[in-house]
Amino acid sequence: MVAEREQDILSSRIPIIDVSNPDQGLVARAVVKASEEWGVFQLVNHGIPTELIQRLQNVGRRFFELSETEKKAVAKPDNSREGYARRYTLDLEKKIGTVDQLYHNIWPPSVVNHSYWPKNPQDYREVNEEYTRQVKILSEKIMEWLSEGLGLRREAINEVVGGEYLLNVNYYPPCPHPDLIEGLDAHTDVSGLTLLLTNEIPGLQVFKDDQWIEVEYIPFAVIVNISDQILRVSNGKYKSVLHKTTVDKERTRMSWAVLVRPTSDMVVGPFPELIGDDPPKFKSMLYKDYIYRKVRNLPFVDLDS
Ligand code: OGA
Ligand code: NI
């Protein structure tokens, strides 16, 4: 069948899935397969308007091009995760490059604090609110496909994992030593699901079958990472993809990551329906306890059976 072949996954290439395919069952199966085998895929024709993506990237870039003083209008306070801050500072010994970050909640309205949203550019808020609406529709669709792929009700994953949405804009300025350092070192995302846009500068790499594979830049595609909480609720059926970023010698790289995650008091663990005779692969725990351990690099092995 031609359509089957179109959705075929080449083993050396991150799966690219056309969401507009009229056979939505085929799209769902491709998403499930990619999540099982890779934990990452690219969605094209995903329904988020191209023009909106252009505007989102435009207001983000314009914010980062403001003077440091102007950007500090939304500076991250020490006691908050939200706001603008330097995420990493160039350190050749540690092989870390400079990464600046703008981070703020986008949904639900009860967790949105507009004092961390840039006022300049003026249309920042309107554009980000519209992007939030659109990205949420797409992420809920993905979670439905993934739930059905586990043989569960289509709301199942969203009910556990889809409580909050955050936007994390990364800004990687040019680096004179791109061969010596990395942007972000190898990690899996702590959230449930990450929906990522990048500018045209390549730099994202994912780990599969003992090698790092460069994610090809496709204009307006949404890169979807399966992250830790979907790995856990699926009892390991879906992979949480290990990834890292590189920097460019001359050009600034930017990315927009929407993190879809459980609320901090949500208990996250494998769905009971997925547990057969073997013990579950992961222990259920509050999302906030999971984050506590992950950011401190505490082992999970004593917890996960
Ligand atoms: C992240 C991340 C990827 C990128 O922020 O966790 O992996 O392409 N970003 O910047
Ligand atoms: Ni990441």
Side-chain angles (χ1 to χ4, degrees), residues 14 35 37-40 182 184-190 203-215 223-228 231 238-245 294:
I14 282 116
S35 304
E37 293 178 0
W38 287 78
V40 63
E182 283 170 2
L184 301 180
D185 56 8
H187 66 281
T188 61
D189 291 345
V190 70
L204 177 62
Q205 298 182 359
V206 302
F207 196 70
K208 182 169 190 286
D209 298 336
D210 292 327
Q211 52 178 330
W212 286 103
I213 298 170
E214 181 97 33
V215 179
I223 301 163
V224 180
N225 289 352
I226 302 297
S227 314
D228 293 356
L231 166 83
Y238 298 135
K239 285 213 172 82
S240 182
V241 67
L242 187 66
H243 57 285
K244 65 179 183 178
T245 59
K294 175 122 173 174

Side-chain angles (χ1 to χ4, degrees), residues 5 15 26 42 80 82 89 114 166 168 171 186 190 223 230 235 237 242 280:
R5 225 180 301 136
L26 193 65
Q42 302 217 51
S80 168
E82 293 185 84
T89 306
H114 284 115
L166 300 115
N168 170 15
Y171 183 91
V190 70
I223 301 163
I230 287 189
N235 199 34
K237 184 168 186 225
L242 187 66

Side-chain angles (χ1 to χ4, degrees), residues 149-161:
L150 297 173
L152 302 174
R153 285 180 304 118
R154 62 170 64 141
E155 302 81 19
I157 290 181
N158 188 27
E159 284 167 3
V160 178
V161 163

